[in-house]
Amino acid sequence: MATSQTQATAVNYQKAEFPGGDETFQKEFMNMVHAYIDMALYAVQGKVIFIFNIDPKGKISNIDVLPKFKNN
């Protein structure tokens, strides 16, 4: 009788964490958003979703904003 064996390999995984925690990240992120977006031009009402990747060095890439705005 043949037996099947599955081997699991341990992966070193560390959860990404912003220095100061989530609340500090949110404040810093909103400061960045306000610095780059003309808030007088865009009167945002409702929910806005930011989707992005952060590499191991902390660099943000592949930024997307939903819903799409004019002149986006």
Side-chain angles (χ1 to χ4, degrees):
M1 179 165 125
T3 59
S4 175
Q5 185 177 2
T6 303
Q7 290 184 323
T9 56
V11 176
N12 291 333
Y13 176 78
Q14 182 179 4
K15 179 183 173 192
E17 198 171 303
F18 191 82
D22 290 344
E23 188 174 323
T24 303
F25 171 77
Q26 290 174 2
K27 287 178 184 176
E28 292 286 329
F29 186 79
M30 290 311 297
N31 286 338
M32 181 198 66
V33 168
H34 287 121
Y36 288 99
I37 296 176
D38 184 353
M39 297 309 254
L41 182 62
Y42 296 101
V44 178
Q45 294 181 359
K47 185 184 274 190
V48 177
I49 299 171
F50 292 89
I51 301 169
F52 52 89
N53 295 331
I54 303 174
D55 72 13
K57 293 183 179 182
K59 185 175 179 179
I60 295 175
S61 63
N62 299 326
I63 301 169
D64 199 7
V65 179
L66 300 173
K68 299 291 184 190
F69 296 96
K70 276 185 171 181
N71 300 323
N72 191 1

